[in-house]
Each structure stands twice: as C-alpha cells, then as structure tokens.
C-alpha cells in the first residue's frame, strides 16, 4: 500500500511561507514540568473569571451557536466602540471596530491589509517577533530601529527611519522589555509619524498591566495618531482569556474594512458565545482585572529583587506587562544561554528572539506563582554562576 507521505511529490511551500521560515526568530519554549521551571511563557496563570465563563455558558444555552456577523456581534462592537470613544474623546461607530481571533488575528489582519511587497515597515528593536514574521509574509521589508540603552525608543533614529516608510508597528507596554512609553515619548512619536505620513499599528495588549506612578498614555490619547492608526487589543492578558481567542481592532472605517477583508477571508467570524463572554468581561470584570494587577505587582517585586541580587545581570526597571528583560555579562549568545540554563532546569526566552538588539538579554515572565518564580530565580543564579 502506498502511504500518504509517498504520494506527496516535490512539494514546496508558497514563497510567503518560505520567507517566514528563512527569517523567523520565534521559538517554542516549554511549560513548567516536574523537571523544568518555566519563566518563558507569556500567559497568565489565572483561571478566567467566573462571570466570563458564566456568560459563555448562558449564550450557548440561549442558542447563540450560529455564525456571528463578520465584523462582530453588534452588542460587543457597540461596547468596544464606546470604550474606544471614551478613551479617545472622539465618536466611534461600530463600523470602526473589528472583533478578531485574538490579538494575533488582529495583528495578522492589520499588517497583511496594509503592507505591499517592498514596503518598508519600521519596528523597534527589540520587540515582539510576530510583527517581523507578518511583514515578511506580506513581502515587506523590516526596518528594525535599536532602542536606547534604557530600552526606550531612540526617537531621533525613528524619525530618520520613518522617512518613506509605509508603516510603524509598536507595542506599549513593551514585549519583551516591560517598558511603558511616557506621554512625552508618545507625543513625540505622534509628531514623527504625522510629519512622515506613516501608518501605525498600536498593539496595547498589556495596557491594563502598568506599574508606573503616571497614568498610561495610549495611542488613542494622542490626536496625531488619529486617522492613520489601527489600535490592536486582546482579552487574553487583562482577563486571563488566552485560550478564548478574542481580540479587536479599532480605527478608521477604510482601514477596518481592509483588515476585515483579510480576517474574514482567512478566519471568518469569531465564535459567537465567546463574543458574549468578552462582552461580560468589559462590562462586569473590572474588579477581577484590579485583583490580578495587585498579584502581578507582588510577583514583579519578587522577580526584580531576585534578579537584582544575581551577579552578572543588569536589569532596567520593568514598568508594565509581566516581563523582565535583564542583560547579562557572560560571553555567550542568548540562544546558548537559554540552552545552558535548561541544563539547570530553568526555561527562559533568548533576547535575540526579539531582534538583534536583544542579544545578551533573556526574557523572564512573572505571570506565574511566587513559588515558581522563587525556584526559577534560584536555578537561574546557579546557571549563571556556572559561567563565572
């Protein structure tokens, strides 16, 4: 009998796939096991709040099991439009909202709807590695701009790079850096993108996880971003809904329509009951978000204290998200460092996964229990001591 594998002759993936495979820096990291403490995974360890689960169950019992409208269920779209309008101070219609398959679905739809082959796309370095993969899939040209030593933007370098660029993509708070960009930085960036006539994707997945003394400044707060920006959000981080796969885009109707064409072609509409769960999240779960924030603050303090006590590490104060991104002095690549640390039973992410400027850094997540953080830090200290 001829096997299925034998029947496939000389298959070559599409060039879009090959471009991503040639250039992607993304790596899979393990979860915590009996032998491995993982500080590598960017996923809340909290259960989804009960009110959200109850809303999904209620929707299913009410027979909300059919296709949803392609842009999203109207009650959710209206609630999201109201939320964006309240933040921006500008009226937002339901036609300026697209409910997406998580933040990933939103970012994919946004980038693939904007970038043509050969377009220059500016991204900070280091930053979330999915951006570059999607730009390469679209045939665009990534223009990474190294951040300053404190991991904040080099605004002069960004201004130069933005000349002739089609798009700028950024996350705030930052993944992997934990940096939260100030109102002054956001205002300066707005002036730059307005002068260069660049489009923007503002990924604010971690906007509810900010630990500075100053209020968070969203792209929605800055008038210069209006009319040229797709605002990308997800329910995954704030509400511990990673497995539910629901997010949204907000922006000018023409940009939303283009993103919707991509999203609807590749994905179709988002699960109907999940959308009613998301509606419950934003209408009923503010207190749950605050309670998780309090626990993250405690875990953050534990990780900062632990990392600061380890010789050979230098940590810029993480201001948001749930990551620390220390640099190390050992003369090994970050990929080699991850491999070495695995031998001590600790999994982290290599800084180079997030761009060339992330080399000699590692990313650790404190979206896990205090016990796991403490044990992980102890193993990290042993691993680094072995290199001295």
């Amino acid at each position: 009998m001829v096997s299925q594998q034998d029947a496939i002759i000389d298959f070559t993936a599409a060039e879009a796939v090959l471009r991503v495979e040639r250039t992607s820096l993304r790596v899979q990291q393990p979860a915590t096991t009996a032998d491995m403490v993982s500080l590598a995974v960017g996923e809340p360890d909290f259960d989804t709040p009960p009110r959200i689960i109850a809303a999904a169950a209620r929707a299913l019992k009410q027979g909300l099991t059919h296709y949803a409208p392609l842009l999203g269920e109207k009650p959710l779209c209206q609630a999201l439009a109201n939320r964006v309008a309240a933040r921006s101070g500008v009226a937002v219609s339901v036609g300026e909202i697209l409910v997406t398959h998580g933040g990933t679905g939103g970012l994919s739809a946004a980038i693939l709807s904007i970038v043509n082959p050969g377009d220059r796309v500016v991204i900070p370095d280091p930053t979330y590695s999915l951006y570059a993969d999607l730009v390469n899939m679209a045939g665009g040209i990534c223009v990474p701009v190294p951040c300053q030593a404190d991991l904040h933007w080099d605004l002069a370098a960004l201004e130069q790079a933005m000349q002739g660029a089609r798009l700028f993509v950024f996350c705030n708070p930052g993944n992997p850096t934990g940096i939260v960009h100030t109102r002054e930085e956001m205002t300066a960036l707005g002036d730059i993108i307005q002068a260069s006539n660049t489009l923007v994707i503002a990924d604010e997945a971690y906007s509810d996880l900010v630990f500075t003394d100053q209020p968070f400044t969203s792209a929605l707060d800055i008038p210069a971003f209006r009319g040229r920006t797709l605002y990308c959000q997800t329910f995954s981080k704030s509400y511990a809904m990673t497995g539910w796969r629901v997010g949204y885009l907000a922006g000018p109707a023409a940009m939303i329509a283009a993103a919707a064409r991509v999203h609807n072609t590749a994905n179709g509409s988002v699960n109907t009951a999940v959308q009613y769960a998301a509606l419950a999240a934003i209408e009923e779960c503010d207190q749950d978000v605050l309670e998780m924030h309090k626990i993250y603050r405690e875990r953050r303090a534990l990780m900062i204290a632990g990392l600061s006590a380890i010789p050979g590490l230098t940590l810029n104060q993480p201001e948001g998200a749930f990551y620390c991104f220390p640099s190390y002095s050992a003369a090994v690549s970050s990929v080699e460092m991850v491999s070495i640390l695995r031998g001590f039973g600790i999994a982290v992410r290599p800084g180079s996964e997030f761009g060339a400027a992330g080399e000699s850094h590692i990313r650790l997540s404190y979206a896990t229990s205090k016990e796991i953080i403490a044990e992980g830090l102890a193993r990290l200290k042993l691993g680094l001591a072995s290199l001295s």
Side-chain angles (χ1 to χ4, degrees):
M1 179 180 292
V2 177
S3 71
Q4 179 68 18
Q5 185 61 42
D6 291 337
I8 299 175
I9 305 299
D10 294 332
F11 171 76
T12 301
E15 179 57 28
V17 174
L18 298 179
R19 283 196 299 269
V20 175
E21 289 185 345
R22 286 194 296 266
T23 58
S24 180
L25 299 173
R26 307 186 83 195
V27 295
Q28 188 68 34
Q29 295 289 349
T32 293
T33 64
D35 300 319
M36 182 70 64
V37 170
S38 180
L39 300 178
V41 181
E43 176 178 23
D45 66 328
F46 301 108
D47 292 332
T48 301
R51 282 184 287 267
I52 297 172
I53 296 171
R58 189 164 56 247
L60 292 171
K61 290 177 181 177
Q62 292 172 350
L64 297 173
T65 58
H66 300 279
Y67 289 133
L70 288 173
L71 290 181
E73 287 287 340
K74 188 172 181 180
L76 178 58
C77 289
Q78 187 61 64
L80 294 172
N82 294 345
R83 170 169 283 210
V84 173
R87 182 88 206 209
S88 66
V90 177
V92 177
S93 72
V94 293
E96 295 171 302
I97 299 291
L98 171 65
V99 180
T100 63
H101 285 266
T104 298
L107 289 167
S108 300
I111 290 174
L112 295 175
S113 68
I114 291 172
V115 178
N116 293 305
D119 282 346
R120 295 173 66 251
V121 179
V122 178
I123 56 174
D125 182 4
T127 195
Y128 182 34
S129 54
L130 178 63
Y131 306 149
D133 284 3
L134 289 167
V135 171
N136 287 319
M137 180 173 283
I141 300 169
C142 280
V143 182
V145 177
C147 294
Q148 299 180 119
D150 64 0
L151 301 177
H152 283 262
W153 293 323
D154 183 333
L155 289 165
L158 282 178
E159 183 173 21
Q160 184 175 5
M162 220 78 80
Q163 303 306 309
R166 170 72 166 169
L167 177 66
F168 178 57
V169 187
F170 71 96
C171 54
N172 185 32
N175 176 10
T177 62
I179 291 301
V180 176
H181 295 289
T182 64
R183 176 168 287 273
E184 291 73 21
E185 286 178 286
M186 292 294 290
T187 300
L189 176 65
D191 293 342
I192 290 169
I193 59 99
Q194 197 167 50
S196 61
N197 198 30
T198 307
L199 299 175
V200 177
I201 295 172
D203 178 2
E204 297 187 6
Y206 299 94
S207 59
D208 285 322
L209 297 173
V210 172
F211 306 101
T212 65
D213 294 331
Q214 299 300 314
F216 175 68
T217 300
S218 168
L220 298 174
D221 298 331
I222 308 298
F225 288 95
R226 294 173 191 161
R228 64 174 71 249
T229 300
L230 282 176
Y231 170 78
C232 183
Q233 257 302 357
T234 177
F235 288 79
S236 292
K237 313 300 183 181
S238 300
Y239 300 100
M241 292 178 67
T242 50
W244 297 71
R245 309 314 304 138
V246 58
Y248 65 96
L249 296 175
M255 295 178 75
I256 289 293
R261 175 63 66 186
V262 175
H263 190 268
N264 297 341
T265 299
N267 299 297
S269 57
V270 172
N271 177 301
T272 304
V274 163
Q275 294 193 52
Y276 284 92
L279 180 61
I282 61 175
E283 290 184 342
E284 303 176 29
C285 295
D286 287 353
Q287 187 59 39
D288 296 280
V289 173
L290 291 175
E291 289 173 2
M292 287 187 278
H293 185 280
K294 179 182 177 181
I295 295 170
Y296 282 130
R297 182 182 289 277
E298 294 170 355
R299 293 171 173 181
R300 170 180 174 269
L302 176 63
M303 183 170 279
I304 289 173
L307 292 173
S308 299
I310 297 177
L313 288 183
T314 302
L315 179 66
N316 285 293
Q317 191 83 346
E319 301 159 326
F322 38 57
Y323 304 117
C324 290
F325 197 61
S327 62
Y328 58 83
S329 57
V332 297
S333 73
S334 60
V335 170
E336 291 171 320
M337 176 63 79
V338 167
S339 178
I340 290 166
L341 293 175
R342 288 274 193 97
F344 287 83
I346 169 71
V348 298
R349 301 190 88 93
S352 59
E353 176 183 345
F354 305 95
E359 189 53 88
S360 297
H361 291 72
I362 51 175
R363 194 199 77 176
L364 304 93
S365 168
Y366 52 87
T368 189
S369 72
K370 291 181 180 178
E371 293 75 17
I372 289 177
I373 292 170
E375 179 61 26
L377 290 172
R379 296 184 185 194
L380 175 65
K381 185 174 183 179
L382 288 173
L384 289 173
S386 73
L387 298 173
S388 60

